[in-house]
Amino acid sequence: YIMEMQSNKVIGIIGTPKSVDRYIATNFLNTNIDYFIIDMNKKMEETQNVLQCMRIWSEQYAQQKFNEDDLITFLYIAGLDERIDTQIAKLAIGEKKRLLFLKAMLANCYYYIIHGLFDGVDKKDIETLTQMVIELSTYATIILTAENDNGFSICDKIFILCN
């Protein structure tokens, strides 16, 4: 049941939120594994604009200091460089997910557990998010979790959890 931890992979875990939580508790909690969990379906603070958001996250999560140009480069990777002054509330769901993905990238961990990355996004967003996952997986292991396998063709390995 416990997966062998191989580095730099994309792992898909399909299951109910409860079974996924159990899996994470079993494999990550109370270990010394450096990981970052991000729930892509969680509501964001919507009053700030995109760049303000990145500034705040950079302060909170980044281990190195990023300047404005660095943050704009991150936004460029996510295809959001044209949206730096846009209020979060005005972003489409796929844009919000791409922005949230950058929050993970700023954190610079060894393992990322990302819930619901592809839920409710269109084909174009799936492509952009997939590119971002590939980029991040060059220096980290990414565990995508969801209740279905939408977008999971990117995974090196998929686990289907029973309730």
Side-chain angles (χ1 to χ4, degrees):
Y1 190 56
I2 298 199
M3 67 181 180
E4 64 284 16
M5 297 290 183
Q6 287 166 312
S7 60
N8 304 5
K9 279 204 172 311
V10 181
I11 296 162
I13 298 179
I14 301 167
T16 62
K18 201 179 218 158
S19 63
V20 167
D21 286 347
R22 240 192 340 261
Y23 181 88
I24 290 163
T26 308
N27 290 283
F28 287 92
L29 299 179
N30 308 319
T31 65
N32 55 4
I33 298 169
D34 180 25
Y35 68 96
F36 187 85
I37 297 186
I38 189 156
D39 183 348
M40 286 289 177
N41 297 320
K42 210 163 161 242
K43 271 200 73 64
M44 293 171 74
E45 171 54 62
E46 300 215 315
T47 54
Q48 291 142 344
N49 72 30
V50 169
L51 193 57
Q52 287 168 324
C53 223
M54 287 293 285
R55 269 195 217 112
I56 292 164
W57 290 341
S58 175
E59 296 294 316
Q60 285 175 334
Y61 302 106
Q63 283 152 14
Q64 71 226 65
K65 195 88 184 95
F66 290 112
N67 64 30
E68 206 88 332
D69 288 345
D70 297 329
L71 297 180
I72 290 168
T73 302
F74 273 106
L75 289 167
Y76 174 77
I77 292 167
L80 292 169
D81 49 313
E82 305 280 308
R83 308 283 268 155
I84 58 176
D85 298 323
T86 306
Q87 199 179 2
I88 303 300
K90 294 194 171 70
L91 295 177
I93 185 165
E95 292 175 317
K96 286 181 188 172
K97 290 195 178 205
R98 296 196 314 252
L99 182 60
L100 274 170
F101 197 94
L102 292 178
K103 178 185 191 175
M105 288 181 96
L106 286 168
N108 196 12
C109 277
Y110 201 68
Y111 286 93
Y112 292 92
I113 301 164
I114 303 173
H115 297 303
L117 180 62
F118 300 115
D119 296 354
V121 298
D122 63 24
K123 212 170 149 61
K124 193 182 176 310
D125 283 316
I126 289 179
E127 285 169 19
T128 309
L129 288 164
T130 297
Q131 279 312 117
M132 292 173 79
V133 167
I134 291 167
E135 180 70 34
L136 188 58
S137 73
T138 59
Y139 60 88
T141 293
I142 300 176
I143 299 166
L144 300 175
T145 74
E147 291 191 63
N148 60 58
D149 65 356
N150 188 17
F152 275 32
S153 55
I154 186 180
C155 298
D156 300 300
K157 218 182 232 171
I158 296 178
F159 294 93
I160 299 172
L161 304 179
C162 306
N163 294 335

